[in-house]
Amino acid sequence: MPSPKNSDAEAAAEKTRLSRQVVLAAALELVDAEGLDALTMRRLGQQLNRDPMSLYRYAANRAALLDGVSELVFDELSIHPKDPDWQAQLRYIAHDLRLLALRHPNVVPLLVTRPLSTPLGLRPLGTLRPLEQILSLLIDAGFAPADALHMYRAYYGFLYGHILNELQEFIVDPDENEALLRLGLHRLPPKDFPQLRALGPVLADYDGAAELDQGIDILLSGLAAHLSRVPESTREPAQG
């Protein structure tokens, strides 16, 4: 029977077995807990109880770490590009992305803004897969490839806008029943912000999932209407 000392040594050895997946998972855990600014090689080394220099084997620099974290989060997004019900699939993806953002709110700015500084072909492959899969979904549904790209942009533009808006829905005093006080709107000058103050009860009852559904309803109706105006003879053939 191994002694407790040996067991401790074996446990320590087990902890030191690093892989890219282990390093990125620890990086994501660090960002979730402390924010993006906390993610440095030195801090990650402390998190993993390893010399920071040993981590460069798995990520060349902090930028590579950020890209890896983005890919890891996008891996949690479930997309089925061969689903024949493209509207149901887009609705499902929207809600899945919202929940993913609520699980990792500190990562959302990274997902939204980091791609803007990187040419499309140089972005991590894992961050491009949702684009490829949704394009396939829309093209298989009958949209022309160029139309599918425009619709992807509109779809993700709406989703990211909704997510950023929901993450900013702060409640000042959750125990306060009066909407104006709960949201801190009583501090706004009544003459300058009459509409915002009047909407206090609606703002206080904000339901992110329901709000998302309302927006998706409008978006999907527009996409379906666009597809219905395309003559059958010019639609992209469905892929078998």
Side-chain angles (χ1 to χ4, degrees):
M1 180 175 180
S3 67
K5 186 174 182 180
N6 288 340
S7 298
D8 291 342
E10 290 172 1
E14 185 67 28
K15 287 181 181 179
T16 61
R17 291 177 186 160
L18 296 184
S19 67
R20 178 172 169 78
Q21 189 73 12
V22 168
V23 169
L24 292 180
L28 176 57
E29 183 179 335
L30 181 59
V31 171
D32 282 342
E34 301 180 24
L36 282 171
D37 289 343
L39 182 58
T40 64
M41 287 296 193
R42 179 182 296 277
R43 181 67 184 82
L44 186 58
Q46 294 173 347
Q47 178 94 347
L48 291 164
N49 196 27
R50 293 294 298 267
D51 182 342
M53 296 303 295
S54 69
L55 304 182
Y56 286 94
R57 175 181 176 186
Y58 307 99
N61 46 42
R62 185 175 185 273
L65 269 182
L66 294 174
D67 286 340
V69 168
S70 297
E71 288 189 288
L72 196 62
V73 171
F74 273 123
D75 280 346
E76 296 182 29
L77 188 63
S78 178
I79 301 177
H80 303 283
K82 295 303 180 183
D83 189 336
D85 190 341
W86 62 274
Q87 294 191 54
Q89 182 62 201
L90 288 180
R91 187 182 297 277
Y92 174 82
I93 295 168
H95 281 280
D96 200 25
L97 184 63
R98 172 182 174 267
L99 293 176
L100 185 153
L102 293 178
R103 287 197 301 272
H104 307 292
N106 290 336
V107 183
V108 170
L110 178 65
L111 303 182
V112 175
T113 62
R114 185 163 175 76
L116 299 177
S117 62
T118 309
L120 196 63
L122 298 181
R123 295 176 194 173
L125 297 182
T127 65
L128 289 175
R129 286 196 182 95
L131 168 57
E132 179 69 21
Q133 292 171 326
I134 292 177
L135 288 177
S136 295
L137 178 72
L138 293 172
I139 291 170
D140 285 356
F143 291 100
D147 286 342
L149 179 59
H150 294 318
M151 289 164 190
Y152 168 87
R153 288 171 176 159
Y155 175 72
Y156 259 80
F158 164 73
L159 289 184
Y160 280 143
H162 169 87
I163 287 167
L164 289 173
N165 186 63
E166 181 169 357
L167 291 176
Q168 294 178 62
E169 290 290 332
F170 294 117
I171 298 296
V172 175
D173 185 356
D175 296 324
E176 175 59 57
N177 292 324
E178 176 63 38
L180 286 179
L181 297 176
R182 189 178 182 202
L183 297 172
L185 295 177
H186 61 288
R187 298 169 182 166
L188 301 180
K191 292 182 179 180
D192 295 335
F193 297 94
Q195 305 301 338
L196 205 51
R197 287 172 61 99
L199 284 168
V202 179
L203 291 168
D205 289 336
Y206 181 84
D207 183 330
E211 193 88 7
L212 178 62
D213 260 332
Q214 291 178 5
I216 286 293
D217 284 343
I218 295 170
L219 186 61
L220 292 181
S221 295
L223 295 181
H226 178 85
L227 184 61
S228 69
R229 292 194 296 269
V230 178
E232 288 280 351
S233 60
T234 62
R235 292 186 187 180
E236 292 295 308
Q239 303 296 315

